[in-house]
Amino acid sequence: MAAKWIETLVGSLDQKKQYKQHMARMEALPEPYRGAAKALQRYFMYQGGIVDGNTLITMLGDFVDLWERAAADGTPVRAIVGDDPVEFAETFLRAYSGRQWIDKERERLRTAIDAAAGDTSEEKDA
């Protein structure tokens, strides 16, 4: 019972465990792959805004798999990310476009403007 209460409060403990495992795999990468992966992962956390734990865990697992394969094959970092690492990161994030924190704010904004403008559902449907 305590585990259910804790999970309700802080989220899935299994997801936290998987997250730590993925991060440990990233730390185990040889340089320069570790440095590139950590820099991109940091960008993902700031830019991505993914709030769905399952989507985040899936994305991170696939991301670490990519870097582990690149390290095993000796693929140069630039061959993976290209000339623009920001473009690579944002393209990678779009592939995992689950529910994001901004989605809630977009809906809140729409609702507030509709209420302020006096819009009703019948008027919007017309």
Side-chain angles (χ1 to χ4, degrees):
M1 179 158 153
K4 281 277 196 204
W5 181 81
I6 291 170
E7 283 196 17
T8 301
L9 186 63
V10 298
S12 171
L13 298 177
D14 188 47
Q15 288 175 349
K16 289 177 181 12
K17 183 178 177 182
Q18 290 174 349
Y19 177 83
K20 287 181 181 184
Q21 289 170 344
H22 292 322
M23 295 305 291
R25 289 172 53 205
M26 191 181 310
E27 284 294 329
L29 290 168
E31 287 297 342
Y33 304 101
R34 179 177 50 236
K38 287 173 73 173
L40 284 159
Q41 187 270 341
R42 177 181 168 88
Y43 186 82
F44 293 159
M45 295 301 111
Y46 282 102
Q47 174 62 20
I50 297 172
V51 296
D52 175 48
N54 290 329
T55 302
L56 180 64
I57 294 303
T58 299
M59 180 196 75
L60 190 56
D62 292 347
F63 180 69
V64 175
D65 288 345
L66 170 72
W67 288 104
E68 286 175 338
R69 282 193 301 270
D73 295 343
T75 306
V77 170
R78 282 285 179 197
I80 297 166
V81 300
D83 293 331
D84 186 357
V86 173
E87 182 180 338
F88 169 82
E90 292 182 3
T91 300
F92 190 88
L93 281 170
R94 277 193 297 276
Y96 298 91
S97 59
R99 189 172 151 260
Q100 298 181 337
W101 67 269
I102 196 67
D103 296 335
K104 180 179 176 183
E105 293 305 316
R106 286 178 180 138
E107 187 56 36
R108 185 178 288 168
L109 176 60
R110 286 183 184 107
T111 301
I113 297 301
D114 288 348
D119 292 347
T120 63
S121 60
E122 295 103 31
E123 290 175 11
K124 290 190 328 187
D125 292 338

